[in-house]
Amino acid sequence: MASETISNGAAAEAPQTISAAERLRQKHEADATHRAMVEDVVDDEDIAHPPPSMHLTPQVESSSALPDPPAPMSEKSAGKQKARDGPPPAASVIGTTQGSNLNMQSEEAFPALGGGPKASAAAAPLTMAWGAKKPTSVHANVNGINGHAPLPSMNSSRASTPTSGILTPTSTNASIAPQPRGVSIPKQMAIPGRHSERIELASSQLLPRNQLKKPLQETLRALNKRSKANVEMKSGPNGTIIFEGTGPVDATRQALKDLAQEVGSKASSQTVKVAVPLSVRPHIIGRQGSTIHGISKRTGARVQMPKTEENPGLDFEDDDAAVVDVTIEGDAVSAEMAKREIDAIVNERTSTVNMRLRDVPAEFFPFIAGPRNSKVNALEDGRQVKIQVPHYHTWSDQPPPQPSSTGMPLFIPSTSNHIRISGDRLKAQEVRSDIDRRVQELRCHLTLSQIPIDRGRHQFVLDRGGESLHDLLEETGCSVILPPMSEDTEMLTVVGPPENIEMGTNKVMELAMSMQMSNVDFSRHVARNHTNPPLGADAHARALTQYLQRRKVVEELERQHNARIILPASPDGPTNWEIYSRDGANLIRARSDIMEIINAHPPSRLRHVEVDPFFHQHIHRQAARHIRDEYGVHLLTPDDSDGLSHMILVYEDTTRGDQEYRLPRQQTSSQEGSAFAPSLQQSQEHILSLIRGQEDIGGASIEVPAKYQDKVRKFVQRQQQSLPQTQIPVQISFVPGTSDCLLRGPSSAVETLSENLVAFIEAEKQDELERGHVTSFGFPQKHANFLIGKRGDNINKLREEFDVDIQVKEGRVDITGPKAKAEAAKTRILALSRKLEDEAVHVLKIKPQYHRDMIGPKGSQVNHLQNKYDVKINFPRTAHNEDDRSVADDASEAGGSPKHRRSNQPPDEVVVRGPRKGADNARDELLSFLQWLIDNSHTSDISVAQAQLPSLIGQGGREMESVRLETGAQIDVPGREGADPKGRVKIQLKGTKKQVDDARKVLEQKVKVFDDSITKAIKIDKKYHRALIGSGGSNIHDIVVNAGGSGDRRDLAKTVRFPSQDSEDDTIRVEGSKALVDKILAAIRDFANARESQVTEIMDVAPDKHRILIGRGGESRRALESQFNIGLDVPKLSVQGAERSRVRISGQAADIEKAKAHILELIKEQEGEALQVPRKHHHTVSDNGQFFRRLRNDLKVTVDHAGQQPPQRDAMESRAQANGTAAMPLITDDPSSIDNHHFEIVDSAQASEEGEIPWIMRGPPENVAKARALVEKAMTRANEQESQAKGYLILPDPKTYRFIIGQGGQQINAIRKQTGCRITVPKQQTAGTPIEIVGTRDSVEEAKDIMLDIVQNGGRRD
């Protein structure tokens, strides 16, 4: 019955003109539309849990292209329909008194299970910028959810988006659908497989009915049969048609794309441009183009990203205001789907913005910022943005506009200085709009005026660090712009409102004229104080000015006196220096200093050297350091722009060494001035020697068309790269505005280069004829980004190297240029392709805790592996540890910046990339190193008191370093901030298990000692400190050791600490265990008490006996003090009179008595025994001192002569030396000839000296007796030798004495044994020193002949 009711209702409402045949046709079409198919069978899950209906109020307008609406269905037919999201056609209402019929499909009457709550009102339209806080999936805005009207697009583009094909996907999955901020959207239950999307097409985008292959309804039925999704057609607003698909995501999208291709107009294929920030470009491209290719594959649209080299102005990676247009080509569905995916990436990556305002004139900066940035602060207040307005008070590359008499001046945007805005994108856009409005206002309300002010007074306008500019802007509403120092102009520009411009100008002039000025005429002062300076007073003044300027003396004077010094602007103009200062006293002091400097640099200190300008740079490179180090002369080279040929030498100092040179300020005397000349002359000769012998300088002119000039310059540079350092390259220059190329250099080199240039230009002209030649070949698209390089660096180098144009397009490379060059470039590119194909990438899982050690200090470990195996190793960069970063950063293959290139690299992954063999080896070595780190990464910590750290570390870290060396463990000591509330810190130990255990054991022992240690102090009068310490610390050492402490010097210094000698403190501090400290304090206290009760007695000891008490190095005195516990004070040699013999003994009375008795006995034992030795035999018996040494070493017996001087050497020996010297060979003789020797023999009886000399022998009595016997025996031999002769042999070459001695003395001992002579070879084997031979006259002669024979044969005996 229900079916009949609906049918009747429908028929009643139908026009009366419809025929029965027409009604029958409609009925057949309705039945055919829902003929049961396998795909149409309702799932059991859908029956049990039908989805909530989506209510849509159709707004159908008449249109010629609009297809007929579907005919009403019977209830039976409706029951066969698959459950859908959209509501069924509204049932007609029959006018009856019984009320409305029950609608079985009503969601309000029969709500479906799992249906979400209804929204009370439609969401307000929301426009979102790129700065979305959360990433969005590939979807459109929620459309038609629970009665909501469709939301407008969330994204906008610079380019107009066609009105055709609006894709509005709707998902029943609440986790997928976006929830815009400020809009309350009810959550919905996720139902798997129930994704819904729709497209909205205008009538103009559909094929006319006569062009369709089949009616639209049949197309839909066919599409639904072959697809897992179901597509319905509905009427949309403004005469549009909505096609809604429901089903799995991929099937739904594919069905909508297929439908758009079948019924969409071919003319509806569209091109959409989406403006995206340049910084997001790499993320849209993805690694090796994976992301952009994925978008094209999923949507079916063609997505094109312009290359960076095609947009040379868009290289500001830190500027999100720079955008690039992404071009999308496809039908309505595919284009919109691709656009939404790109918008989602943009929203995800640009939650904040960093932009530059490039269209703001720099003259507006002060007015935008306001006095002291007041207006910028107001713009930032309440917004999460940061605004940076550059300070602009001096123009650089772009002068201010000229005043205009007809209207407002034309302010041009700055090319280098830009306002920066960073922060939240929406707020940044608001700030930018405010600044743009302000700029437009300033263009209409600002004018300018220019006033000439002396250059020296410009600085005073910028006084107080620029504060005066803020005051100027605040008081007058104007700003001032100064010219740079490089510009020869005095014009200042005042910018401000027309009504304030006069007030601003007056204020600027007031600031500039508030200073005092003085003048120093260099040349006049030089001419007055120095007569006839070389090249004149003006030349000296200019040279000195240039020197002081290069030496930064002028800057130093300005800082020192808070003044401004203006130097002459022209190299050939006046030489006056202008000094400006606000303080008159500073002005006078600055002028006085300048006059002192002039007087300290007379013309004699400077020298001009005439050198061809071609050699200037070569000489400066080769000679400047040499003459400064060798001669103390500073070399000044004129600037190329000056066109001067004189190089200037300035004498500084030859004795300053490595110390910093201090400019002299004292007037130079004439004697000092004459000392400058040698160094200056030597420096000049060195400079001239560098160019002496050089070829004559020649020149040539070649005609080079303007289009070849840059290539010619690069060609000349390549030609001269391999020149030796001593050869000066040819200089090349171009005459502006002409085709003349000028060459200057050595004549032969200029001639050769001229010929090469002519040939090169001819070859370039020939290449121009082949510029249209194109060489194409395949290149793997996955390696295209490597070929292009970051910002096109790699491909641009290839273009420049081979002089061809290279384009990379979709797996092909097109090279345009001369054939030979194109083939060479092709060979290089193909070689790169083979190399990249061989590339391997290894991803190693390495825990972040090992990264720092594997990277090494400053990347040393990784750099070594990269250089060794020619690979790149990337460590992840984490936010927690900025040091754990890769030292092998390489550019993102998509052109991204370093800060984004590894954002997705997991923190435990290390990537190794490079040639397969090298990558494998690097991987193996990294893993081996990792295993070693694991084996040696046992860790432990030990808690120590923070106060103990200094003692643990030791001076210069010696203590801790000794523990490291002893155990081999790595020990990390924390800083002061690492202490806990109890004042303890943890020392980290790292290494192998044994190393860690050993280090822990050593440190725990030290910690235990410290923790158990106490510190006590005792006050002891400082007069006892020295005695308490003892000689070399012996007393305190004995006290500590006897108490059970360590005798190590470092431990001793920690245990007992004495106050410094300069301090008035008398407190001694003892640290250690309680038992040790108590024992040491008791010993110190006993020592002090003993010292307080000690007495001092004086004992007379003859000065000649003092050495007995002192001993060698004070050994005897220390022994006495230690033995008897006394202090012994022996007068110094400088003491005269009775005090010289008074020895003071301090100590206890009993100890003093014992010491005195011992000293008396010691002196008595050392009285010695005297023996008279004839003076003539003194040297023979003493054997030139050897006899004394034997007595002292063997018998502990010393010998002195009771203050008498030993006799002189024999007169004959002295005469022999004199004769030998006189008989030395002449300069014309052969010095190596043995014939030039000298020999003289004398009798011993002739060499005698009358009288005797006492030998006082002191030592142990029994040893003195033995010594006396030895002396008497030696005297007997001397008497026997009195009848013998002495020979003195002088050889011409002292180096030959070694032949006579022989190895180990073998030769001379053999001669002694053979001849029976006593032979003495002098130790100081200098020229003229004789060899002494003692024996019979015959034996002496024999010994002499043997020695001459040995020397003659080079050390060999016949």
Side-chain angles (χ1 to χ4, degrees):
M1 295 296 296
S3 177
E4 294 176 1
T5 302
I6 294 177
S7 255
N8 293 337
E13 292 181 2
Q16 297 297 327
T17 57
I18 187 171
S19 64
E22 185 68 16
R23 288 196 299 271
L24 181 60
R25 185 185 65 79
Q26 292 179 359
K27 182 177 183 301
H28 289 170
E29 287 181 355
D31 293 340
T33 302
H34 300 287
R35 184 175 292 111
M37 303 294 291
V38 174
E39 292 82 3
D40 295 333
V41 176
V42 180
D43 295 336
D44 294 338
E45 183 69 19
D46 290 343
I47 296 174
H49 304 286
S53 300
M54 296 295 184
H55 177 70
L56 178 65
T57 303
Q59 300 177 2
V60 182
E61 297 182 4
S62 60
S63 175
S64 58
L66 191 63
D68 295 335
M73 298 178 253
S74 66
E75 189 71 29
K76 179 179 179 180
S77 300
K80 298 179 180 180
Q81 293 300 303
K82 187 177 179 180
R84 295 168 186 160
D85 294 339
S92 301
V93 179
I94 302 175
T96 173
T97 59
Q98 296 178 358
S100 302
N101 291 328
L102 184 62
N103 187 358
M104 304 296 294
Q105 301 294 329
S106 172
E107 274 296 313
E108 295 180 2
F110 302 97
L113 293 178
K118 307 297 185 293
S120 60
L126 178 64
T127 301
M128 298 190 66
W130 283 322
K133 292 298 182 183
K134 294 182 180 180
T136 57
S137 303
V138 181
H139 59 264
N141 301 326
V142 177
N143 194 345
I145 298 178
N146 292 340
H148 286 22
L151 296 177
S153 174
M154 295 170 59
N155 302 287
S156 59
S157 173
R158 288 188 310 164
S160 60
T161 303
T163 58
S164 61
I166 301 177
L167 176 67
T168 312
T170 303
S171 174
T172 60
N173 191 342
S175 65
I176 299 177
Q179 298 186 11
R181 291 174 293 176
V183 180
S184 177
I185 298 178
K187 297 182 179 179
Q188 302 181 22
M189 178 176 292
I191 301 178
R194 300 300 296 168
H195 179 76
S196 176
E197 289 189 13
R198 62 175 61 186
I199 60 173
E200 185 175 348
L201 299 178
S203 58
S204 60
Q205 295 177 295
L206 295 173
L207 286 173
R209 184 177 297 176
N210 58 0
Q211 295 183 13
L212 291 172
K213 296 181 180 179
K214 60 179 75 173
L216 188 57
Q217 293 293 345
E218 293 185 11
T219 302
L220 284 175
R221 285 195 299 270
L223 179 64
N224 290 334
K225 288 179 182 179
R226 65 175 183 266
S227 174
K228 293 182 180 180
N230 188 68
V231 181
E232 291 182 348
M233 181 180 67
K234 301 178 182 181
S235 298
N238 301 323
T240 59
I241 300 297
I242 297 174
F243 295 96
E244 183 176 359
T246 306
V249 177
D250 295 338
T252 300
R253 292 180 176 176
Q254 187 61 43
L256 291 176
K257 286 193 291 184
D258 294 344
L259 178 63
Q261 291 176 358
E262 292 187 34
V263 303
S265 171
K266 303 303 180 185
S268 68
S269 177
Q270 54 189 278
T271 299
V272 181
K273 287 190 176 181
V274 182
V276 301
L278 187 63
S279 60
V280 185
R281 179 180 180 272
H283 303 287
I284 296 176
I285 296 175
R287 181 177 177 82
Q288 298 183 353
S290 59
T291 304
I292 197 169
H293 290 159
I295 295 173
S296 296
K297 185 177 180 181
R298 287 191 299 272
T299 64
R302 181 181 181 187
V303 184
Q304 292 182 323
M305 177 70 72
K307 299 178 181 178
T308 52
E309 59 265 23
E310 295 175 2
N311 298 274
L314 303 179
D315 57 352
F316 307 100
E317 295 188 0
D318 61 341
D319 182 11
D320 291 334
V323 295
V324 62
D325 286 333
V326 180
T327 304
I328 304 173
E329 297 179 359
D331 56 45
V333 179
S334 59
E336 185 65 18
M337 292 174 65
K339 177 179 179 298
R340 292 184 182 281
E341 291 205 27
I342 291 173
D343 286 341
I345 297 175
V346 171
N347 290 336
E348 179 183 359
R349 294 290 177 177
T350 55
S351 60
T352 59
V353 67
N354 185 8
M355 62 176 65
R356 299 183 191 180
L357 306 187
R358 305 175 187 277
D359 54 353
V360 181
E363 293 81 6
F364 294 174
F365 290 169
F367 302 94
I368 293 173
R372 296 172 182 84
N373 280 349
S374 58
K375 294 184 177 180
V376 165
N377 296 335
L379 286 173
E380 292 179 347
D381 189 21
R383 295 185 172 110
Q384 296 179 354
V385 293
K386 179 68 176 176
I387 307 170
Q388 296 179 357
V389 180
H391 296 288
Y392 182 70
H393 49 71
T394 303
W395 64 269
S396 55
D397 54 346
Q398 180 176 305
Q402 296 297 318
S404 175
S405 59
T406 59
M408 293 296 179
L410 180 61
F411 293 99
I412 301 174
S414 174
T415 58
S416 56
N417 290 333
H418 305 112
I419 297 176
R420 289 177 174 266
I421 306 174
S422 59
D424 181 78
R425 177 173 292 278
L426 294 179
K427 299 298 182 182
Q429 294 289 358
E430 293 176 8
V431 171
R432 179 170 187 168
S433 299
D434 292 344
I435 294 177
D436 288 341
R437 284 193 297 272
R438 179 62 176 159
V439 170
Q440 295 305 320
E441 294 174 1
L442 293 174
R443 287 189 182 276
C444 301
H445 294 88
L446 289 185
T447 185
L448 56 82
S449 175
Q450 292 185 336
I451 52 175
I453 294 180
D454 189 77
R455 286 299 297 263
R457 299 186 178 274
H458 286 190
Q459 61 165 336
F460 309 121
V461 178
L462 297 177
D463 194 16
R464 294 179 292 135
E467 280 296 313
S468 57
L469 298 182
H470 293 291
D471 295 340
L472 174 67
L473 184 60
E474 190 172 19
E475 295 176 13
T476 67
C478 299
S479 69
V480 63
I481 305 171
L482 282 69
M485 294 300 298
S486 58
E487 293 293 326
D488 187 15
T489 178
E490 297 181 343
M491 287 296 182
L492 271 68
T493 304
V494 181
V495 183
E499 63 274 12
N500 297 349
I501 200 73
E502 183 177 357
M503 181 169 53
T505 302
N506 293 337
K507 181 65 176 179
V508 169
M509 289 190 294
E510 178 185 343
L511 291 172
M513 302 306 295
S514 62
M515 309 300 290
Q516 302 183 41
M517 191 268 284
S518 180
N519 192 13
V520 178
D521 191 339
F522 260 44
S523 58
R524 180 180 178 184
H525 184 79
V526 173
R528 185 172 60 248
N529 292 277
H530 305 285
T531 58
N532 300 325
L535 302 180
D538 288 347
H540 176 73
R542 295 189 185 100
L544 182 56
T545 298
Q546 183 182 2
Y547 169 71
L548 297 177
Q549 189 175 12
R550 297 275 185 91
R551 271 297 192 180
K552 300 187 182 302
V553 176
V554 178
E555 297 179 10
E556 181 184 350
L557 289 171
E558 289 179 334
R559 289 193 301 268
Q560 182 178 354
H561 301 291
N562 194 21
R564 174 69 174 168
I565 301 175
I566 304 299
L567 303 179
S570 175
D572 53 358
T575 59
N576 295 358
W577 283 25
E578 297 178 358
I579 312 171
Y580 296 86
S581 177
R582 195 179 299 275
D583 187 353
N586 286 344
L587 194 71
I588 296 174
R589 282 192 288 267
R591 192 177 191 281
S592 175
D593 272 4
I594 293 173
M595 301 302 292
E596 290 178 358
I597 293 173
I598 296 175
N599 293 333
H601 291 78
S604 59
R605 189 182 280 272
L606 280 71
R607 177 170 297 192
H608 294 73
V609 181
E610 181 78 19
V611 178
D612 192 298
F614 174 78
F615 296 110
H616 283 181
Q617 294 302 321
H618 173 71
I619 291 175
H620 191 272
R621 287 193 301 269
Q622 299 290 328
R625 179 180 294 274
H626 175 76
I627 64 175
R628 183 185 63 218
D629 296 341
E630 292 294 327
Y631 311 119
V633 174
H634 185 82
L635 174 65
L636 285 178
T637 305
D639 294 332
D640 295 337
S641 58
D642 295 342
L644 303 177
S645 60
H646 289 281
M647 302 186 79
I648 303 169
L649 301 176
V650 183
Y651 177 82
E652 290 186 343
D653 194 0
T654 57
T655 61
R656 61 186 178 89
D658 295 332
Q659 299 179 358
E660 184 179 358
Y661 175 65
R662 301 182 66 86
L663 196 73
R665 295 176 184 265
Q666 300 296 328
Q667 186 168 3
T668 304
S669 64
S670 58
Q671 183 178 0
E672 292 174 336
S674 60
F676 304 154
S679 296
L680 294 173
Q681 181 64 31
Q682 290 173 337
S683 301
Q684 179 177 347
E685 292 175 357
H686 179 74
I687 289 174
L688 297 178
S689 67
L690 294 177
I691 60 176
R692 192 176 295 121
Q694 294 280 352
E695 276 191 72
D696 293 337
I697 304 302
S701 177
I702 303 175
E703 184 176 353
V704 179
K707 63 180 179 179
Y708 299 132
Q709 289 182 0
D710 188 54
K711 293 182 178 181
V712 165
R713 187 179 287 106
K714 294 177 181 177
F715 171 78
V716 172
Q717 184 178 1
R718 291 194 301 269
Q719 287 283 306
Q720 301 188 132
Q721 278 180 347
S722 58
L723 291 179
Q725 189 176 2
T726 56
Q727 185 173 346
I728 310 174
V730 176
Q731 297 175 354
I732 181 173
S733 61
F734 294 93
V735 180
T738 68
S739 59
D740 293 337
C741 173
L742 305 180
L743 303 178
R744 193 165 189 271
S747 300
S748 60
V750 169
E751 183 179 356
T752 303
L753 185 58
S754 300
E755 296 174 356
N756 294 340
L757 280 179
V758 171
F760 174 76
I761 295 171
E762 289 299 323
E764 286 296 318
K765 292 180 179 179
Q766 186 64 30
D767 288 346
E768 284 297 319
L769 302 178
E770 302 180 15
R771 284 293 169 191
H773 176 79
V774 179
T775 299
S776 299
F777 55 92
F779 188 87
Q781 180 63 27
K782 61 182 179 180
H783 299 319
N785 290 310
F786 287 100
L787 175 59
I788 296 173
K790 183 179 180 181
R791 299 181 184 176
D793 287 346
N794 295 344
I795 200 168
N796 287 335
K797 288 179 181 178
L798 292 173
R799 289 168 178 166
E800 182 177 345
E801 180 179 355
F802 295 101
D803 190 24
V804 293
D805 180 63
I806 305 175
Q807 297 293 332
V808 182
K809 296 180 180 178
E810 299 180 356
R812 294 196 62 80
V813 177
D814 296 333
I815 304 178
T816 305
K819 184 177 180 181
K821 295 181 179 180
E823 290 296 329
K826 175 183 177 181
T827 302
R828 175 75 62 82
I829 294 172
L830 291 178
L832 174 63
S833 175
R834 290 191 295 270
K835 179 180 178 181
L836 294 175
E837 286 293 338
D838 182 54
E839 186 180 74
V841 178
H842 299 305
V843 179
L844 310 180
K845 287 287 185 179
I846 299 176
K847 293 181 180 179
Q849 66 195 64
Y850 301 114
H851 289 186
R852 179 188 293 272
D853 292 328
M854 300 188 76
I855 293 172
K858 297 183 179 180
S860 57
Q861 299 282 5
V862 170
N863 283 333
H864 171 71
L865 290 178
Q866 290 184 143
N867 297 331
K868 182 178 180 181
Y869 297 115
D870 191 23
V871 296
K872 296 293 182 182
I873 303 175
N874 286 340
F875 281 81
R877 178 181 300 172
T878 62
H880 302 288
N881 192 348
E882 189 64 20
D883 292 336
D884 292 343
R885 61 185 183 273
S886 169
V887 293
D889 284 342
D890 58 327
S892 171
E893 296 168 352
S897 62
K899 62 181 180 181
H900 294 144
R901 69 178 55 135
R902 286 183 281 114
S903 57
N904 296 325
Q905 185 173 348
D908 62 343
E909 286 188 359
V910 177
V911 180
V912 181
R913 178 184 290 107
R916 186 171 303 278
K917 182 177 179 182
D920 292 344
N921 292 334
R923 174 199 59 194
D924 296 342
E925 193 160 336
L926 277 174
L927 294 178
S928 299
F929 186 29
L930 173 63
Q931 187 60 46
W932 183 89
L933 286 176
I934 294 174
D935 296 340
N936 290 269
S937 294
H938 291 274
T939 59
S940 181
D941 57 67
I942 180 171
S943 176
V944 302
Q946 189 177 25
Q948 189 183 2
L949 288 182
S951 60
L952 284 178
I953 296 172
Q955 186 176 7
R958 287 196 296 266
E959 294 292 334
M960 192 60 71
E961 187 63 24
S962 65
V963 177
R964 291 191 181 104
L965 295 176
E966 178 183 351
T967 63
Q970 177 181 334
I971 305 175
D972 294 331
V973 181
R976 295 181 178 179
E977 64 280 359
D980 59 16
K982 296 182 180 180
R984 300 187 71 83
V985 297
K986 289 188 176 181
I987 295 179
Q988 302 294 329
L989 308 177
K990 185 177 181 181
T992 64
K993 188 175 185 305
K994 183 178 184 305
Q995 291 173 343
V996 171
D997 292 342
D998 292 345
R1000 185 179 184 86
K1001 183 178 179 181
V1002 173
L1003 292 178
E1004 282 180 343
Q1005 183 179 0
K1006 293 177 178 288
V1007 170
K1008 186 177 184 303
V1009 172
F1010 182 85
D1011 291 342
D1012 295 341
S1013 296
I1014 61 172
T1015 300
K1016 290 186 178 181
I1018 184 173
K1019 289 185 175 294
I1020 300 296
D1021 197 321
K1022 289 201 71 171
K1023 65 183 180 181
Y1024 301 138
H1025 286 193
R1026 182 176 180 183
L1028 180 59
I1029 296 172
S1031 179
S1034 59
N1035 286 354
I1036 196 65
H1037 175 272
D1038 294 341
I1039 291 174
V1040 173
V1041 172
N1042 294 334
S1046 172
D1048 184 78
R1049 294 180 62 86
R1050 289 176 292 185
D1051 294 339
L1052 191 65
K1054 298 175 189 176
T1055 304
V1056 183
R1057 297 193 298 274
F1058 287 85
S1060 62
Q1061 294 180 356
D1062 300 333
S1063 173
E1064 296 181 358
D1065 186 17
D1066 58 356
T1067 303
I1068 300 174
R1069 290 172 174 81
V1070 183
E1071 179 181 332
S1073 64
K1074 186 176 184 304
L1076 177 65
V1077 170
D1078 291 342
K1079 290 180 181 179
I1080 294 176
L1081 290 178
I1084 292 176
R1085 196 176 293 110
D1086 293 343
F1087 181 88
N1089 294 335
R1091 282 285 172 173
E1092 289 178 357
S1093 61
Q1094 73 177 7
V1095 295
T1096 301
E1097 294 188 12
I1098 296 176
M1099 181 179 182
D1100 289 332
V1101 179
D1104 61 332
K1105 304 295 191 300
H1106 287 181
R1107 61 184 183 83
I1108 302 173
L1109 301 180
I1110 298 174
R1112 176 174 294 182
E1115 180 180 358
S1116 299
R1117 181 175 60 185
R1118 288 194 295 271
L1120 287 171
E1121 291 176 339
S1122 176
Q1123 181 180 356
F1124 296 101
N1125 195 21
I1126 61 168
L1128 188 64
D1129 185 10
V1130 180
K1132 296 181 180 180
L1133 295 175
S1134 58
V1135 178
Q1136 302 294 328
E1139 291 293 330
R1140 180 73 178 85
S1141 60
R1142 293 184 177 182
V1143 177
R1144 289 174 171 80
I1145 308 173
S1146 303
Q1148 300 298 317
D1151 295 334
I1152 292 175
E1153 290 301 326
K1154 294 178 183 178
K1156 289 173 64 175
H1158 181 77
I1159 291 173
L1160 291 173
E1161 183 180 353
L1162 186 63
I1163 293 174
K1164 183 177 181 181
E1165 290 179 356
Q1166 297 291 330
E1167 285 294 333
E1169 185 173 346
L1171 183 64
Q1172 298 296 326
V1173 177
R1175 299 181 68 89
K1176 63 181 178 180
H1177 296 323
H1178 174 81
H1179 290 292
T1180 302
V1181 175
S1182 66
D1183 194 12
N1184 294 323
Q1186 292 292 334
F1187 186 75
F1188 296 147
R1189 284 191 287 273
R1190 288 195 297 271
L1191 292 179
R1192 184 173 63 249
N1193 295 335
D1194 299 341
L1195 302 177
K1196 307 300 180 183
V1197 174
T1198 60
V1199 180
D1200 62 62
H1201 307 293
Q1204 295 188 23
Q1205 292 293 329
Q1208 297 291 331
R1209 303 283 298 180
D1210 289 344
M1212 288 299 179
E1213 180 180 349
S1214 301
R1215 190 181 66 184
Q1217 292 186 30
N1219 292 341
T1221 303
M1224 292 297 290
L1226 299 176
I1227 194 171
T1228 56
D1229 296 336
D1230 182 6
S1232 61
S1233 175
I1234 194 63
D1235 296 335
N1236 294 324
H1237 72 276
H1238 173 78
F1239 180 73
E1240 185 173 351
I1241 188 170
V1242 296
D1243 293 332
S1244 298
Q1246 299 176 3
S1248 62
E1249 184 176 348
E1250 299 297 331
E1252 295 178 335
I1253 182 171
W1255 282 28
I1256 310 299
M1257 294 177 287
R1258 295 184 174 90
E1262 62 276 8
N1263 291 345
V1264 170
K1266 294 179 182 178
R1268 182 183 181 88
L1270 292 175
V1271 173
E1272 291 175 348
K1273 183 178 180 181
M1275 290 175 59
T1276 302
R1277 288 199 304 269
N1279 290 327
E1280 294 174 354
Q1281 294 177 1
E1282 188 172 356
S1283 60
Q1284 294 181 342
K1286 286 186 179 180
Y1288 300 96
L1289 175 63
I1290 301 176
L1291 299 178
D1293 186 2
K1295 296 179 182 180
T1296 58
Y1297 286 11
R1298 58 189 177 88
F1299 296 145
I1300 297 174
I1301 298 173
Q1303 186 175 3
Q1306 294 179 356
Q1307 199 74 269
I1308 194 169
N1309 289 335
I1311 300 174
R1312 289 168 178 164
K1313 184 176 180 181
Q1314 179 177 345
T1315 61
C1317 295
R1318 182 169 57 85
I1319 304 173
T1320 304
V1321 178
K1323 291 184 178 181
Q1324 301 296 332
Q1325 298 171 3
T1326 57
T1329 304
I1331 299 173
E1332 182 183 281
I1333 310 171
V1334 179
T1336 62
R1337 181 176 289 271
D1338 294 338
S1339 61
V1340 169
E1341 289 286 350
E1342 181 184 3
K1344 181 261 298 182
D1345 294 338
I1346 293 174
M1347 286 188 284
L1348 292 178
D1349 182 61
I1350 291 174
V1351 173
Q1352 185 73 26
N1353 295 320
R1356 298 186 305 273
R1357 295 184 63 178
D1358 294 339

